[in-house]
Amino acid sequence: MRPGLFSLCLLFASLGSAWAQPAVAPYATAYPTGVSALVGDIVTLSAAFDGTAPINYMWLKDGGAVAGATNATLTFSAPPIAAPDSTSYSHYELMAWNTAGSTTTIKVVVYIAKRPQTITFAAPTTLAAAGSGITLSATASSNLPVTISLVSGSASLNGRVLNGQGGNVIVRATQAGDTTFAAADPVDRTISFVAGALSPFITSPPSDQTVVAGSSLSLRVSAIGNPAPAYQWSRNNVALSGATDAVFTLANLTLADTARYSVTATNLAGTAAASAQVNVQAAPMFISPPAAQTVAAGAAVTLSVEVTGYPVPTLQWRKNGTPVAGATQSTYALASAVRTQAGNYDVVATNSIGTTTSATATLTVISRDFNGTYFGRFTGAGGDFVLYARGDGTAAFFGHLPTLPAGLVETAVSVSLAGELAATVSLIAATPREGALRGTIDDAAGTVSGTIADLGLAFTGTRVNPGNPPPAAAGLYSAALVGSASGRGYVIIAADGQAFVITASGSAVDSARGNLNADNRLVVTTTSQAVVDLGFTGGELRGTVRTPQGIGTIAGAIEALIGAEHLVNLSVRGTTRNSDPMAAGFVIGGTLPKQVLIRAAGPALTRAPFNITGAVANPSLQLFRGSSVIGQNSNWGTPASSAAAIAAATARAGAFPFANGSADSALLATLPPGAYTVQIGGGNGFVLAEVYEVRAADEAPGSRRLINASTLGLVLPGEPIMAGFVIGGTAPQRVLIRATGPALARAPFNLDNTLPNPQLTVFRGSTPIATNDDWFRDPEAALIRTASADVRAFALQNQSLDAALLTYLEPGAYTVQVSGPPNANNNNSTGVVLLEIYEATP
């Protein structure tokens, strides 16, 4: 037989066998169980049948079919129960059938009860005056309405207002329930209505008391009323727990018990209140005694105490048991401690109750004297150093290591009370590094020693013994090489006339040792064979340095005068036109407002000693901060109220005076730190714009500074832009001067008609002292770039034809002239240029 035919025969044989099996009627394999539930609960009944599928289902309730209940599981919500029944039950069974027959499960009972509820019935009072009414309130947990009824007593109930005529009255709250909730258990309340009620009256109030700390005190009150009143005591209007008697007692009183105590008497008819002030007196007690301190001579000291007591005690500081005159406050301050002020300090506190003396605090004033100049050598690497120790707990450290070659300069070394040195110093060398300087001064032996471990250096030195008398020039001086961009140094003159000179120019360091002669002159030859010749007068130094390259000027000042050097006056002479008003800018540095005198001179230029033709006849000035005008003037004498102040400021600033009634302009203003612009108009011609500092009486020189001035103007053949500035103070000031034209033609400025190749020259008087044509050709071009970034000036492109100078200048007046290059024609000597002058302190 073929395989396919054989498989087909097997299939029919299998089907024939299945048709031959009989159907099985449903039979229960799991029965439903009875349920007890509250109205609203979810009830679930279930059963399971087996038999030939399909099996059909129908649930029956009390013998009747349940609509839609055709699954083996029945779920429903327990239904409400009609009043007055509180429970109900029903029989449920499940019928199942198929083609072979039907079967019904056993009956189960579903028992349903109404949900319980409770009543909350709180009477507002259990005692009331006869004839008065009180409002009753009751609620049920079911939120169903509660009925209040009168059970007994002489009273009437109108709604929820109960009026009693006297005696006990019983009222009841009930809730009968509904189809969901069963009736609640009734709740009764008894209220007593008292005939003849009388509001409280205090017959004997508590009285004010002043008592001594540690004692006890009883406050008493007496009150009448019907019913008898209840009492509640309070402290500063805060009820005291448990204080409900007619007598209130305070035991072991302290200052903290000082307060106002009040008592309230209350009955059903009303309240009454009375109060008393209790003051607790206590002898002085120190909460915080003075603390011992150890300070260096010259340091500020503050001793303080915190003391309590009543009456408020008087205080008297004592030193070694002796009262200190005028020291009667909680603090005692010494502005600058001296050794004689060391001792044992305490405070005597006194009031009417007693006197208490504080613990003793010992003030120790260390009078170790580290001051002086210490000369020494580095071990290993070799080279000299000098430590200049000041009286304020700081020192300056200078060293030269010729074999490296390198130098060390640090003017802010800290010196502890124990003579310990600490600072982070920078190595001036081709490869700069930093190291931690640590050391110790032995003031008794007059020696110093220490290390700069990061740099592998150790040093030892000895303090100089003062001469008799010490030289008047002794001290620490800061100096600069006038006309250079980076040449600076320090000179230390010891108390015996020994001297140490150290200089630095970039990474090149040089030094020399020598002695001051009787004429206060120092002549030394440095390790690089430069000859330094310096003179010292009144805190200033001035002299020369001679090298194979030439002779340079050195100027400087003792450290007490350093920092006062600054720009005190900035001026610009240029051309203004109606179509193109002249603009000049300046910047005020520091943190405090600065008073400045701003002037626009026109008519003044036509008079002696200037005698300039072509000046603007009636210049006007406006002062801007950003785009806002913050001041303006047309004729300096108008308004008249300002003229006297401007004339006085002119004299104080050292400016030449304006003639009375002239049309020159001036403005006196006190300005916060920031950038400002002055715009000058009023016609066509020359004008001189000036900004002077006007120092206040209490203003330290240089503490509030003019740090930058600039002007944008037009250079014409034979008509350069002129600017002037004055350096005040004692020591040289480093300044950055720039004249930019090509830079203005590029982004972000994109100006037209700029001067293509500006040249700037600096004059002192009529003598030119420095000039530059192309900034990148200057030997200090790298420093010019760095200084421009430091003062936040825009960068100049490499090999641009803009001009710039960076130089140290001595105090005095200077003029800057900007023109076209030498042998220029009309085309390249005409154009707009920006002239800038910056204070560029390194």
Side-chain angles (χ1 to χ4, degrees):
M1 180 180 294
R2 293 193 301 269
L5 182 58
F6 177 71
S7 299
L8 187 61
C9 290
L10 287 177
L11 175 62
F12 279 112
S14 174
L15 292 174
S17 174
W19 290 336
Q21 293 180 1
V24 179
Y27 58 93
T29 59
Y31 291 90
T33 58
V35 176
S36 294
L38 298 176
V39 173
D41 287 349
I42 300 301
V43 177
T44 299
L45 301 174
S46 64
F49 282 85
D50 203 354
T52 302
I55 299 175
N56 303 294
Y57 300 100
M58 177 178 291
W59 283 92
L60 303 177
K61 174 184 177 185
D62 296 330
V66 178
T70 58
N71 296 310
T73 299
L74 174 64
T75 300
F76 61 91
S77 176
I81 301 172
D85 296 335
S86 60
T87 61
S88 68
Y89 64 90
S90 299
H91 293 91
Y92 286 82
E93 55 189 331
L94 177 60
M95 175 184 292
W97 72 92
N98 62 10
T99 57
S102 64
T103 304
T104 304
T105 63
I106 61 173
K107 292 181 179 181
V108 295
V109 177
V110 175
Y111 180 84
I112 300 174
K114 290 184 178 180
R115 306 187 78 84
Q117 63 172 323
T118 58
I119 292 175
T120 300
F121 185 18
T125 181
T126 59
L127 198 64
S132 65
I134 62 173
T135 300
L136 305 175
S137 175
T139 59
S141 60
S142 63
N143 290 324
L144 294 172
V146 177
T147 299
I148 299 176
S149 59
L150 181 62
V151 177
S152 65
S154 179
S156 62
L157 184 62
N158 298 313
R160 298 211 166 185
V161 178
L162 178 67
N163 292 277
Q165 284 71 49
N168 292 338
V169 175
I170 299 174
V171 288
R172 176 173 297 160
T174 58
Q175 212 302 310
D178 60 5
T179 58
T180 299
F181 290 92
D185 292 336
V187 178
D188 290 352
R189 292 288 181 264
T190 299
I191 301 169
S192 297
F193 287 89
V194 181
L198 177 66
S199 177
F201 176 76
I202 295 177
T203 58
S204 178
S207 59
D208 293 347
Q209 302 284 330
T210 298
V211 293
V212 178
S215 63
S216 297
L217 169 68
S218 292
L219 297 174
R220 302 176 184 275
V221 67
S222 178
I224 59 174
N226 188 28
Y231 298 106
Q232 175 61 60
W233 290 87
S234 298
R235 179 181 184 275
N236 291 338
N237 297 320
V238 177
L240 297 167
S241 177
T244 57
D245 296 327
V247 179
F248 174 62
T249 300
L250 291 165
N252 194 23
L253 288 158
T254 67
L255 284 173
D257 292 314
T258 295
R260 177 158 288 278
Y261 293 85
S262 58
V263 62
T264 301
T266 304
N267 68 8
L268 58 90
T271 61
S275 66
Q277 177 66 37
V278 174
N279 292 321
V280 180
Q281 292 185 330
M285 181 177 70
F286 286 92
I287 298 173
S288 175
Q293 295 188 46
T294 299
V295 299
V301 177
T302 299
L303 299 170
S304 63
V305 295
E306 187 177 354
V307 63
T308 64
Y310 186 83
V312 176
T314 60
L315 304 179
Q316 176 61 61
W317 287 85
R318 302 188 307 179
K319 175 194 171 190
N320 298 332
T322 301
V324 179
T328 58
Q329 304 300 316
S330 61
T331 59
Y332 175 54
L334 301 172
S336 179
V338 296
R339 188 168 60 179
T340 57
Q341 291 172 319
N344 296 320
Y345 287 82
D346 60 19
V347 178
V348 177
T350 304
N351 66 10
S352 59
I353 307 303
T355 297
T356 305
T357 302
S358 73
T360 298
T362 300
L363 174 62
T364 303
V365 180
I366 296 178
S367 57
R368 295 180 65 181
D369 184 8
F370 304 114
N371 296 356
T373 305
Y374 299 75
F375 286 97
R377 296 274 302 170
F378 292 103
T379 59
D384 294 325
F385 81 89
V386 61
L387 178 77
Y388 179 82
R390 309 180 183 94
D392 62 354
T394 65
F397 186 90
F398 308 97
H400 186 204
L401 300 142
T403 59
L404 290 184
L408 294 162
V409 173
E410 179 51 59
T411 59
V413 179
S414 66
V415 183
S416 73
L417 296 177
E420 296 170 337
L421 303 175
T424 299
V425 297
S426 298
L427 186 70
I428 304 172
T431 304
R433 287 180 290 159
E434 286 190 341
L437 182 150
R438 298 292 182 268
T440 304
I441 299 177
D442 185 335
D443 61 321
T447 59
V448 62
S449 61
T451 62
I452 309 175
D454 312 72
L455 306 179
L457 299 175
F459 57 88
T460 57
T462 304
R463 179 165 53 187
V464 166
N465 292 319
N468 188 20
L476 171 60
Y477 294 77
S478 179
L481 180 61
V482 176
S484 74
S486 61
R488 55 196 181 102
Y490 294 88
V491 180
I492 300 91
I493 306 295
D496 67 346
Q498 287 190 68
F500 181 79
V501 178
I502 184 167
T503 64
S505 180
S507 62
V509 180
D510 203 0
S511 70
R513 292 279 301 271
N515 290 278
L516 192 70
N517 67 21
D519 296 327
N520 287 321
R521 184 178 175 189
L522 176 66
V523 181
V524 292
T525 301
T526 69
T527 56
S528 66
Q529 301 305 302
V531 178
V532 178
D533 186 347
L534 302 175
F536 300 84
T537 305
E540 299 182 37
L541 73 82
R542 183 174 176 82
T544 60
V545 56
R546 184 187 299 272
T547 68
Q549 290 73 39
I551 299 177
T553 298
I554 297 176
I558 201 164
E559 66 174 348
L561 301 178
I562 292 297
E565 61 276 3
H566 63 296
L567 300 174
V568 298
N569 160 230
L570 302 165
S571 61
V572 177
R573 196 194 84 174
T575 303
T576 184
R577 289 177 170 77
N578 290 327
S579 59
D580 188 14
M582 177 179 169
F586 64 94
V587 176
I588 295 176
T591 59
L592 297 174
K594 175 83 176 172
Q595 190 176 55
V596 293
L597 173 65
I598 305 167
R599 308 199 311 174
L605 302 181
T606 64
R607 293 188 293 271
F610 308 107
N611 302 314
I612 296 175
T613 59
V616 175
N618 188 11
S620 62
L621 68 82
Q622 287 185 305
L623 176 63
F624 291 79
R625 186 165 192 181
S627 58
S628 301
V629 177
I630 60 173
Q632 55 188 358
N633 179 260
S634 181
N635 295 297
W636 76 273
T638 304
S641 57
S642 301
I646 290 174
T650 298
R652 244 184 3 259
F656 66 87
F658 286 162
N660 290 334
S662 78
D664 303 289
S665 298
L667 186 66
L668 186 63
T670 299
L671 305 175
Y676 299 86
T677 303
V678 179
Q679 182 172 291
I680 299 174
N684 300 319
F686 291 113
V687 70
L688 178 66
E690 301 172 293
V691 180
Y692 293 89
E693 75 160 6
V694 182
R695 221 164 59 199
D698 60 345
E699 183 180 336
S703 60
R704 312 169 202 176
R705 312 171 76 92
L706 292 170
I707 60 175
N708 161 232
S710 61
T711 183
L712 182 69
L714 180 64
V715 172
L716 297 171
E719 295 183 15
I721 287 181
M722 305 285 288
F725 60 94
V726 176
I727 296 176
T730 307
Q733 168 69 53
R734 193 170 77 152
V735 294
L736 172 66
I737 306 169
R738 309 199 315 173
T740 55
L744 302 182
R746 292 186 293 270
F749 308 106
N750 300 315
L751 296 184
D752 296 327
N753 302 318
T754 59
L755 189 63
N757 187 6
Q759 174 181 280
L760 68 82
T761 304
V762 180
F763 294 82
R764 188 166 191 181
S766 59
T767 303
I769 59 173
T771 187
N772 178 262
D773 187 3
D774 303 325
W775 77 275
F776 65 90
R777 303 184 195 279
D778 191 286
E780 305 288 5
L783 287 176
I784 290 173
R785 181 184 299 279
T786 300
S788 295
D790 290 342
V791 299
R792 299 184 179 181
F794 60 86
L796 302 180
Q797 286 194 343
N798 294 336
Q799 299 188 356
S800 75
L801 299 183
D802 303 288
L805 281 171
L806 180 64
T807 182
Y808 278 101
L809 297 175
E810 295 182 82
Y814 297 87
T815 303
V816 180
Q817 178 178 293
V818 180
S819 62
N823 302 317
N825 56 38
N826 288 343
N827 291 331
N828 60 16
S829 62
T830 300
V832 174
V833 69
L834 176 65
L835 173 59
E836 304 166 290
I837 302 168
Y838 293 92
E839 181 182 280
T841 303

